[in-house]
Amino acid sequence: MRTPRPYESYVYAYPHKTAYRELPDLPPLRELWAGERTEALSLYLHIPFCEVRCGFCNLFTRVGAPDELTTRYLDALDRQATAVREALGDARPVRFAAAAFGGGTPTFLTAAELDRLCDIAEKRTGVDLRSVPLSVETSPATATADRLAVLADRGTTRLSIGVQSFVDAEARAAVRPQRRAEVEAALGRIRDTGVPVLNIDLIYGIEGQTAATWRSSLDAALAWRPEELYLYPLYVRPRTGLARRESAAQTRDDAAAWDDEAAWDAQRLRLYRQGRDHLLEQGYEQVSMRMFRRPGPSVPAADDYACQSDGMIGLGCGARSYTSRLHYSFDYAVDMPKIRNIIDDYTATEDFSRARIGFALAPDGDEARRRHLLQSVLQAQGMATAEYRERFGSAPDEDFPAELRFAVERGWLDAEAGAGLLRLSAEGLAHSDALGPLLFSPAVRARMAAYETK
């Protein structure tokens, strides 16, 4: 098994969407959800619009929304939410443990449209947004007082703002047109809402970033005492603005390119460790490689939702849904023209009663075991092996001996975790983006490799 680079891939879901394929039988949602547990669902509404496209962004989103596109999109979201709720049926309780609006940038919508978005969530799916943790993503330019007031009034418990850097030159280098004054003003408006959890996203590894400028951004964020901070390594993804800019640069030989990649890996690891240590010194606790939380009783959480096993209802053309046997979504793209076409197809859809694109997995099969392990062990608290055995009837080291032995040999597993607990060491957390992809199955790897990037 080759030694991976420390930044192979960010594993936020498994399998990745590039492993999804068109479903030949277009299974009805009513059949997919029959017999599924529905007492602790998670609800996600996807808004695929932004005011700008950042250079590092490979999310499913488009710039702008001409010709009343947001109205047509919300109309389609309403139809989809109605179809999904009908598919869930009334034979058993349907309860949501958490909700989130993501994107894109949900606050690209106007205040009135955000109000309608909340109505769709509540009136169509039955979720009570004021009784569950509700997380909403925003940006400095769209975090306006009227939009934030709607979100606060409708029960938002967490606002997450993508700042990336408080240094204007670094923001420009990441192709993110913003100024620090605009960022600070937005943070002030967010704090004025009284929403209990503020999350600030920062990025390390930006061109021109130094230990001093990284510390400056960290301290600027800490001045707002955010309940959460996410530290993301910069990735240059195919078909993003940074990738296009990089490909336009002078071609270098393979040895020079390898040296550049190795130097960038080393820089990102240094900045990660600097950021981690600084936040720990400031009293934050590390939840995962990326997430740091300020301890306190005021942080709401979906305590009864288990991402390893509970279902997900995703609404919107960039959202994915999870049952125990199928993960499904709509088509995925990064190129702007293709994204526009997918959004247009979504808004024209009348019948949302069937799944179209997805990945099937047996509840107790190899892929489900890999997903459970990935969703658990990449968290700082680790995974109780008894929990794994109770679900699958085996131990992780029985199912994945080579992968876990590889992690042990590199010191990525905490030798002091104690019997019955599989937990990453500090260096294991630092190398989460290397360990995660090692746990992908050969079948998923093959599908991802065969996927034609759009």
Side-chain angles (χ1 to χ4, degrees), residues 199-218:
N199 173 71
I200 298 176
D201 290 345
L202 297 176
I203 286 180
Y204 54 92
I206 301 170
E207 183 179 359
Q209 192 175 50
T210 66
T213 61
W214 178 228
R215 173 65 180 263
S216 174
S217 279
L218 290 166

Side-chain angles (χ1 to χ4, degrees), residues 381-393:
Q381 66 183 12
M383 182 188 72
T385 54
E387 170 195 314
Y388 183 95
R389 183 178 289 279
E390 181 180 356
R391 179 175 177 187
F392 298 112

Side-chain angles (χ1 to χ4, degrees), residues 41-116:
L41 296 170
S42 180
L43 178 66
Y44 177 77
L45 275 67
H46 179 254
I47 304 300
F49 307 110
C50 289
E51 73 276 12
V52 295
R53 184 76 179 267
C54 300
F56 52 83
C57 179
N58 72 332
L59 297 178
F60 187 92
T61 186
R62 62 160 292 167
V63 176
D67 304 322
E68 298 185 341
L69 180 56
T70 54
T71 298
R72 288 185 279 118
Y73 186 83
L74 290 173
D75 289 344
L77 199 66
D78 196 314
R79 295 193 296 274
Q80 186 190 6
T82 300
V84 170
R85 185 61 188 87
E86 289 175 354
L88 292 174
D90 298 314
R92 62 208 188 282
V94 175
R95 177 180 171 272
F96 292 91
F101 301 158
T105 308
T107 49
F108 178 89
L109 300 178
T110 66
E113 288 171 333
L114 285 170
D115 216 23
R116 185 184 177 197

Side-chain angles (χ1 to χ4, degrees), residues 3 30 32 89 117 168 201 206 238 266 291 350 373 405 418 433:
T3 299
R30 185 176 293 275
L32 292 179
L117 183 69
D168 289 351
D201 290 345
I206 301 170
M291 182 182 177
E350 294 294 334
L373 186 60
R405 185 167 55 250
D433 285 5

Side-chain angles (χ1 to χ4, degrees), residues 5 250-263:
R5 292 176 54 200
Q250 183 177 1
T251 303
R252 294 157 294 179
D253 61 43
D254 290 343
W258 175 262
D259 287 344
D260 285 351
E261 292 291 342

Side-chain angles (χ1 to χ4, degrees), residues 138 143 148 159 161 185-195 197-198:
T138 189
L148 295 175
L159 283 165
I161 183 168
L187 288 167
R189 291 190 294 271
I190 290 173
R191 279 308 196 197
D192 287 345
T193 65
V195 169
V197 178
L198 163 65

Side-chain angles (χ1 to χ4, degrees), residues 29 79-80 83 330 346 348-356:
L29 299 188
R79 295 193 296 274
Q80 186 190 6
F330 295 91
Y346 176 82
T349 299
E350 294 294 334
D351 182 4
F352 287 100
S353 65
R354 293 175 178 268
R356 302 184 181 190

Side-chain angles (χ1 to χ4, degrees), residues 14 20 101 106 122 159 163 229 265 302 314 328 353 372 374 376 391 404 416 446:
Y14 181 81
Y20 291 16
F101 301 158
E122 294 198 326
L159 283 165
V163 173
L229 270 163
D265 285 346
Y328 63 93
S353 65
H372 188 104
L374 279 163
S376 304
R391 179 175 177 187
L404 294 180
E416 299 180 0

